[in-house]
Amino acid sequence: MARRSEVETGGAVPAPAAQRRSQRLDQALELVFLLALWQVLSLWLGTYWISSPLATLAGLFRGLASGELLLHASYTAGEAAIGFLVGGIPAAALPFALRRMPVMTAILDPFMVGGYGAPKLALAPLFILWFGIGIESKVALVGVTVFFIVYFSTLSGIRALDTRLVQMAQVMDANEHAVARHIVFPGAVPYIFTGLRIAMPYSIGGAVIAELISANRGLGYLVQLRAMNYDTTGIFVALAATTCIVFLGNWLVNALERFLLRWRPPADAMLQADA
Amino acid sequence: MSALEQASLVESAPGMNRRRLLVMAGRIGLAALLVLAWQVAADTAGDLYFPQPLAVARRIAEDTASGALPWNTYVTLRLSVIGFLLGCAAGILVPFLLRLSPRLTGAVEPYIMASVGVPKYALIPLFILWFGIDDAPKLWLIGLLVFYVVFIAVFAGIRNVDARLVTMARVLGASESVISRRVIWKSLTPFFFAALKIALPRAVSAAIIGEFLVGNAGLGFVIENSRQQVDSTGVFTGILVATALVLAINAVLERADRRVNAWRPVDRHMEI
Amino acid sequence: MAAGAILEIRGLAKRFRARAPGAESPWIIRDLSFSVREGELLTIVGPSGAGKTTLLNMIAQTDTASGGEVRFRAQVAPLGDAKALRPGLSRQIGYITQDDNLLPWRTCLGNVLFPLEVQGRLDGQTRARAQSLVEAVGLAGFENHYPHELSGGMRKRTSLIRTLVYDPPVILMDEPFGAVDAQTRALLQADLLRLWGEGRKTIVFVTHDIAEAIALGDRTLVLSRAPASVKSEHLISIPRPRDIGGILTRPEFVTLYQAIRAEVA
Ligand SMILES: Nc1ncnc2c1ncn2[C@@H]1O[C@H](COP(=O)(O)OP(=O)(O)OP(=O)(O)O)[C@@H](O)[C@H]1O
Ligand SMILES: [Mg+2]
């Protein structure tokens, strides 16, 4: 029997190694250049206007050591994470529930499109009015923002269902429940993840905006507080911490996706990551 | 086979019509239900949280008559459009400059892509510190948000331009600037439209959020100022008008896009 | 019903829904009749686009017929109403489709176990049977590979044993060895004959390779170009067990081949 002893996993043609190396070098040089420019600017204009890279780094370590930064970061990350779940889970579940109800889906459609297009961040003051300045208002804002993004990506996953696979399963006597569980759901997961990947920065952004407007903790609050004290270095530190959370969130979603979608051919996965 | 397809396969023309009627009725019913829910919420939770729908309608009418609402809408729109144009200009210019040197592109592009992760709204306090409390910080915010959307689209578009077309133009003796203008820009328009559809509504939301934090006019100011005065009617009014504004812009762009790109096959990789 | 027939097709007709309202859609299949005996390996050849896949879809009840009758044992498939279809007739009819239709998110073995799992029959015994089938078709060592990590022939084999594993009495096969090279194909054909010899199932095997149809079948039907109907029927009396490699030069084979060739052309 013809067999392949090894399985090819490589996809795209890699750039020549030498070219890649010189590109790395360029990038490193540029990083040094940017940092130097930043340092010079801060020396020239004064730290009142621009914090220096060294001061920012020092502030970051000081904030981490005292635990203050971690505390605020954990509030922001917590708000974003809870809102992500509160909005994301129903958004991913609803299209499955609606799968056999085309009329209901059609009825909901203009409302969902409206909700998707509406400027949800403008709801921040309303949620603060309703839920106060604590975590609830942030969770609500993040949840609403995430909901519509994930709803539409999940819906498109269900619409893209390969009906031949469903027929195959039905011939094998799979019932409705088995079809949903073994075919519709796994097929929709890549689409759900596309939604999650898009929604991730929005969730942290939403939490930060609500904190900027009114809060007594969180990184957005920290930025606002330090701006009021004209503590430019402090602002830079808080911004750096926020950026770190965004990267961490992206990394988490990507890692989870890589794990759950390891069945996908690598070229396909790469395309998805680029989109 | 999904129920949707099954239904569309089996059902005949009168069945389709009945279904369309059912959907229409359902939508109207749902809208009525939402308004009713609002009324019930207003009656039970009280004015502090849920203003009466009628009160909001009255407020919209009054403020429109007094000119306050049109003025604030105008302020927000003007800000959005200026910021949008600035961001667009930068978002188009930078990729075209980068195109001149592949080496520069290789060095700069990853940093720009990495900085996408920086939460732009959190920069507002810094912008206020740097640029004062007039329109400048808001314009920077809007411009920056628009820049990223347009940059990514145009950059991807340039990469996507058929290399053979460019070579052909070069062989025919076209100068770099002619190539930029004629060949590349032509093939870019669909990407650019896709970016526009995302960026313009985003510019309006950014303006509103900027107005939450700084300034004394605009829809964002109306919403946040009303909240600080615990005037829920004002908050609702502002949000309703802002939502209507953004949705109207979406609808106009949608229609324009459909008209301009009607002949084009849909390319799902173009989605941002 | 003909004596000993497990499957009976009478005057079958099929046309798809018209694309535009008011337009007439062409008949794909018209007045097609044949029957299949229990334990028979019936092969069907016909030109591309004749309607072979469509025919199998109607037998497996994944699509409706527009006229005529498809009868399995005493059960008649419903006409016209897609919702009344019973795909696979409660696992009495297995169907190996033209595309392998493997679930991309399941490994090779996971795909083979899939029918057992959804039928609630996955236990130590059936699992062992799946494992032995995997080994029988030379997929040992690839159990944990995802479909995209398998070659085209391996995917075909996986889809083949995925149906064999739950042991339906009738199996429909739609060009199961279509997209593989000649050598692998010969190996797969030998595998199939061996497995069929052990289990003695009823098999309806569609192909447009005439040599394959003769080498495998007890009987070969030739379909006409669309609208498809049975153009001719050939009994294949080459004794079993057959040697796939050696059969090609036998005089009976050559005669049959030329006869069918003339009809299909
Ligand atoms: N869902 C469909 N809607 C409309 N026409 C269809 C549909 N499926 C198949 N056809 C048409 O029916 C005819 C027969 O198709 P079928 O797939 O049964 O051919 P086939 O004999 O299996 O061909 P091949 O050997 O290439 O697989 C073709 O003309 C095809 O265009
Ligand atoms: Mg076919």
Side-chain angles (χ1 to χ4, degrees):
Chain A
M1 211 136 281
R3 279 187 197 178
R4 275 208 253 169
S5 55
E6 55 179 356
V7 177
E8 296 160 8
T9 46
V13 183
Q19 195 186 327
R20 252 182 313 161
R21 216 173 307 127
S22 86
Q23 208 169 32
R24 287 272 154 70
L25 192 69
D26 277 358
Q27 282 169 13
L29 279 179
E30 199 197 335
L31 184 64
V32 173
F33 172 75
L34 282 176
L35 287 174
L37 186 73
W38 181 6
Q39 182 76 42
V40 168
L41 269 179
S42 71
L43 285 176
W44 182 37
L45 293 169
T47 44
Y48 173 79
W49 293 105
I50 292 183
S51 166
S52 77
L54 287 176
T56 306
L57 205 62
L60 210 50
F61 278 118
R62 225 175 312 116
L64 284 178
S66 73
E68 186 198 17
L69 208 53
L70 276 181
L71 189 72
H72 287 288
S74 65
Y75 282 130
T76 304
E79 290 158 4
I82 298 175
F84 204 69
L85 296 179
V86 165
I89 292 176
L94 190 57
F96 285 99
L98 291 174
R99 192 167 79 86
R100 294 306 209 158
M101 300 186 237
V103 173
M104 197 59 199
T105 311
I107 289 174
L108 282 179
D109 192 57
F111 297 90
M112 291 297 184
V113 170
Y116 183 79
K120 283 158 303 280
L121 294 177
L123 295 175
L126 181 66
F127 288 146
I128 293 171
L129 185 76
W130 280 350
F131 305 119
I133 63 169
I135 183 170
E136 296 88 349
S137 54
K138 281 87 190 170
V139 168
L141 186 65
V142 173
V144 168
T145 313
V146 169
F147 176 85
F148 290 100
I149 298 174
V150 176
Y151 173 80
F152 276 105
S153 60
T154 309
L155 192 67
S156 62
I158 288 182
R159 294 228 162 114
L161 174 67
D162 187 345
T163 51
R164 291 171 311 170
L165 294 185
V166 176
Q167 284 181 355
M168 178 276 293
Q170 284 171 343
V171 166
M172 291 171 177
D173 211 21
N175 57 24
E176 189 56 34
H177 173 75
V179 167
R181 176 165 160 218
H182 292 291
I183 299 191
V184 183
F185 178 67
V189 168
Y191 292 82
I192 298 177
F193 264 101
T194 305
L196 295 183
R197 218 176 322 105
I198 296 172
M200 174 50 81
Y202 281 93
S203 70
I204 291 158
V208 169
I209 289 167
E211 288 168 357
L212 282 173
I213 293 171
S214 184
N216 49 21
R217 54 194 163 191
L219 289 172
Y221 161 76
L222 207 59
V223 172
Q224 197 65 297
L225 180 75
R226 289 171 173 181
M228 270 184 245
N229 297 329
Y230 302 103
D231 173 10
T232 313
T233 303
I235 300 179
F236 271 67
V237 169
L239 285 177
T242 317
T243 309
C244 287
I245 296 188
V246 174
F247 278 107
L248 193 71
N250 286 342
W251 178 82
L252 268 177
V253 170
N254 284 333
L256 192 65
E257 180 177 22
R258 259 200 308 281
F259 173 70
L260 286 177
L261 298 184
R262 57 194 180 283
W263 51 267
R264 268 200 312 194
D268 213 25
M270 238 144 61
L271 245 176
Q272 289 281 332
D274 278 354
Chain B
M1 198 184 290
S2 79
L4 204 78
E5 279 157 316
Q6 247 170 28
S8 69
L9 265 175
V10 170
E11 238 151 356
S12 52
M16 285 307 274
N17 271 340
R18 213 178 34 240
R19 233 175 65 152
R20 208 164 292 156
L21 268 175
L22 196 64
V23 166
M24 222 40 197
R27 285 174 183 172
I28 294 169
L30 187 54
L33 205 70
L34 285 175
V35 174
L36 190 72
W38 179 4
Q39 181 66 55
V40 170
D43 289 343
T44 50
D47 260 357
L48 193 60
Y49 293 105
F50 271 102
Q52 294 285 333
L54 274 179
V56 174
R58 209 175 306 123
R59 177 75 67 91
I60 292 179
E62 278 167 14
D63 286 357
T64 308
S66 76
L69 206 51
W71 164 250
N72 282 313
T73 309
Y74 164 75
V75 168
T76 301
L77 258 184
R78 193 185 65 102
L79 200 67
S80 321
V81 169
I82 299 177
F84 173 79
L85 291 177
L86 290 173
C88 251
I92 295 170
L93 209 62
V94 173
F96 273 94
L97 288 179
L98 285 182
R99 206 180 71 83
L100 297 179
S101 155
R103 191 168 157 192
L104 194 66
T105 310
V108 173
E109 189 238 14
Y111 288 104
I112 297 189
M113 289 307 179
S115 65
V116 171
V118 178
K120 258 66 77 186
Y121 289 107
L123 296 173
I124 302 177
L126 204 58
F127 289 156
I128 296 174
L129 185 74
W130 286 344
F131 308 118
I133 55 167
D134 285 334
D135 285 347
K138 288 176 268 186
L139 287 178
W140 273 92
L141 173 73
I142 303 167
L144 205 60
L145 280 167
V146 172
F147 167 80
Y148 277 99
V149 175
V150 175
F151 172 85
I152 292 172
V154 172
F155 194 81
I158 288 184
R159 270 214 182 137
N160 234 30
V161 168
D162 196 338
R164 280 170 311 171
L165 270 181
V166 176
T167 319
M168 195 184 73
R170 265 202 201 113
V171 170
L172 292 176
S175 68
E176 273 314 299
S177 76
V178 169
I179 291 178
S180 287
R181 237 185 8 252
R182 290 273 169 78
V183 180
I184 298 182
W185 184 243
K186 259 270 154 54
S187 358
L188 266 183
T189 29
F191 287 86
F192 184 67
F193 262 105
L196 191 78
K197 259 169 68 179
I198 296 172
L200 197 52
R202 196 172 286 188
V204 179
S205 341
I208 292 169
I209 287 150
E211 288 163 354
F212 284 166
L213 296 166
V214 58
N216 51 16
L219 290 174
F221 172 76
V222 170
I223 299 170
E224 174 60 10
N225 191 46
S226 306
R227 179 191 71 84
Q228 285 173 8
Q229 324 243 330
V230 202
D231 167 16
S232 66
T233 314
V235 174
F236 264 70
T237 304
I239 289 177
L240 276 184
V241 175
T243 305
L245 182 67
V246 173
L247 291 183
I249 291 175
N250 282 345
V252 170
L253 286 174
E254 186 68 37
R255 182 155 302 178
D257 184 46
R258 222 176 283 158
R259 188 167 293 179
V260 173
N261 288 328
W263 52 275
R264 240 180 260 277
V266 180
D267 179 2
R268 58 192 183 83
H269 290 305
M270 231 171 63
E271 284 168 16
I272 300 172
Chain C
M1 200 161 174
I6 186 168
L7 193 64
E8 178 116 8
I9 316 291
R10 280 282 153 262
L12 189 66
K14 174 71 183 177
R15 73 206 291 189
F16 288 98
R17 244 164 54 102
R19 297 200 141 204
E24 276 278 286
S25 62
W27 289 101
I28 304 296
I29 291 175
R30 192 120 201 227
D31 201 17
L32 183 100
S33 308
F34 66 90
S35 58
V36 187
R37 272 181 294 108
E38 185 130 28
E40 184 180 24
L41 205 169
L42 175 74
T43 55
I44 299 179
V45 291
S48 182
K52 304 183 293 295
T53 301
T54 310
L55 169 65
L56 293 192
N57 284 345
M58 289 186 288
I59 298 175
Q61 292 203 21
T62 59
D63 199 354
T64 53
S66 315
E69 188 180 282
V70 177
R71 184 191 291 270
F72 174 80
R73 294 204 167 121
Q75 303 146 27
V76 182
L79 280 181
D81 181 8
K83 281 182 182 145
L85 289 174
R86 292 171 54 213
L89 287 127
S90 317
R91 65 180 102 125
Q92 295 187 86
I93 298 187
Y95 185 9
I96 297 163
T97 47
Q98 197 163 2
D99 315 304
D100 54 56
N101 282 338
L102 296 180
L103 299 178
W105 42 86
R106 281 178 169 248
T107 58
C108 169
L109 185 62
N111 268 289
V112 176
L113 296 179
F114 174 74
L116 299 171
E117 215 171 296
V118 296
Q119 292 164 8
R121 298 196 301 159
L122 187 59
D123 54 28
Q125 199 185 343
T126 51
R127 195 183 280 276
R129 175 174 159 77
Q131 188 61 44
S132 72
L133 278 170
V134 165
E135 277 153 26
V137 296
L139 284 169
F142 293 92
E143 291 94 337
N144 293 322
H145 285 230
Y146 286 101
H148 78 89
E149 297 168 327
L150 297 172
S151 73
M154 290 166 153
R155 282 202 293 270
K156 279 284 179 202
R157 276 175 263 164
T158 309
S159 91
L160 180 72
I161 59 174
R162 176 178 62 175
T163 293
L164 295 179
V165 78
Y166 70 95
D167 215 21
V170 176
I171 301 182
L172 314 176
M173 300 188 182
D174 195 356
E175 296 184 33
F177 312 138
V180 294
D181 64 277
Q183 283 148 324
T184 314
R185 196 181 177 119
L187 289 167
L188 289 171
Q189 288 165 350
D191 279 344
L192 177 68
L193 281 186
R194 186 165 43 77
L195 291 168
W196 176 70
E198 286 163 11
R200 277 288 160 174
K201 299 194 166 307
T202 309
I203 294 180
V204 178
F205 188 106
V206 158
T207 175
H208 45 213
D209 178 346
I210 299 168
E212 182 172 69
I214 302 169
L216 296 179
D218 293 323
R219 188 159 58 107
T220 297
L221 298 181
V222 181
L223 293 194
S224 63
R225 239 168 234 299
S229 58
V230 178
K231 197 172 191 180
S232 66
E233 181 186 345
H234 301 266
L235 277 179
I236 297 158
S237 47
I238 302 172
R240 299 187 190 264
R242 295 178 188 165
D243 164 26
I244 294 284
I247 203 172
L248 300 176
T249 48
R250 292 175 70 113
E252 311 104 289
F253 178 89
V254 176
T255 326
L256 267 170
Y257 185 89
Q258 277 160 354
I260 297 177
R261 179 79 198 274
E263 283 165 8
V264 171

